[in-house]
Amino acid sequence: MRKIIVSSFITLDGVMQAPGGPEEDTSGVFKYGGWSAPYFDEVVDKVLEEQQKKPFDLLLGRKTFEAFAAFWPEHEDIWPGINDMTKYVLSNTIEKSDWKNSVFLKSLEDIEKLKKTNGLDLHVNGSGQLVQLLLKHDLVDELWLLIHPLTLGTGKKLFREGTIPAALTLKETLATPTGVIIANYIRAGEVKTGTMGG
């Protein structure tokens, strides 16, 4: 069975919208696109590079896929191997792409079937609506979060209404010189409650 791993740049208040640049996603009149750029340092770069070296397939929502397909075919020098990996795309509006190794899925059931197959882990980058769907149906096995030291108060959030209660275990953590906390969480069963000091 494959693991689904969500990788996300987020703010302290959970915003994941448009970390990479002003034009990345302006929906909702979002004016803070590119908010992660001032915190990008050698440590973040090295961590991302190490993550990209591991073999995996991509699982993407339509909007993120279209942005990736417009950029990555000509920029494999930045992310070696991205054009050769399989890109699974959840979409009801597109069915084909010139970007090689793109496979289109129509439903949550298609993702559930894919997850049960033997193969590489599935990494989700961006793809806010897809992430919400996966969290709602308890299909996320790991979260790789880059938590940035700022709040925005507005924008699309990683955890929204509909996320199920779920316990997580911190597997790995690292703080960068610019204050980014890189944290890898794995799914750890149900939420447990108790009384502090009891």
Side-chain angles (χ1 to χ4, degrees):
M1 184 187 296
R2 303 174 187 238
K3 287 192 293 188
I4 293 180
I5 300 169
V6 170
S7 180
S8 187
F9 289 65
I10 63 169
T11 64
L12 284 174
D13 57 340
V15 174
M16 66 180 294
Q17 185 171 351
E23 306 303 320
E24 187 177 343
D25 179 2
T26 58
S27 61
V29 197
F30 187 69
K31 61 182 181 179
Y32 298 110
W35 52 263
S36 73
Y39 304 96
F40 194 85
D41 59 24
E42 289 181 8
V43 176
V44 172
D45 186 47
K46 185 177 179 183
V47 167
L48 293 176
E49 191 176 293
E50 287 302 312
Q51 287 180 355
Q52 290 170 356
K53 284 181 183 175
K54 298 173 184 176
F56 58 87
D57 292 330
L58 284 172
L59 175 60
L60 303 169
R62 179 186 56 82
K63 289 179 184 176
T64 298
F65 172 78
E66 288 179 336
F68 276 27
F71 180 81
W72 286 114
E74 305 302 322
H75 296 90
E76 190 169 13
D77 56 311
I78 302 171
W79 187 345
I82 188 169
N83 293 319
D84 292 323
M85 68 176 62
T86 303
K87 282 76 67 174
Y88 293 97
V89 189
L90 181 65
S91 176
N92 290 316
T93 57
I94 56 174
E95 297 179 350
K96 61 181 181 176
S97 171
D98 292 334
W99 195 15
K100 67 179 180 178
N101 301 322
S102 298
V103 177
F104 292 87
L105 309 174
K106 291 292 183 189
S107 66
L108 177 69
E109 290 72 26
D110 289 341
I111 295 174
E112 290 172 331
K113 287 176 188 172
L114 176 63
K115 186 172 173 16
K116 290 176 183 173
T117 63
N118 292 321
L120 298 174
D121 289 340
L122 301 162
H123 285 218
V124 183
N125 295 71
S127 307
Q129 288 184 316
L130 172 60
V131 170
Q132 303 310 312
L133 182 69
L134 296 172
L135 289 170
K136 182 178 180 179
H137 293 277
D138 198 15
L139 292 173
V140 176
D141 298 288
E142 293 189 29
L143 292 167
W144 289 0
L145 304 181
L146 286 87
I147 306 162
H148 291 64
L150 78 160
T151 59
L152 296 178
T154 184
K156 297 174 184 174
K157 295 193 173 186
L158 177 63
F159 300 106
R160 292 187 236 172
E161 189 98 16
T163 301
I164 65 163
L168 301 162
T169 297
L170 182 63
K171 182 177 175 184
E172 190 177 357
T173 186
L174 176 68
T176 76
T178 57
V180 176
I181 297 171
I182 302 170
N184 176 202
Y185 292 95
I186 58 174
R187 186 74 171 84
E190 302 302 312
V191 173
K192 297 181 176 75
T193 63
T195 302
M196 289 181 63

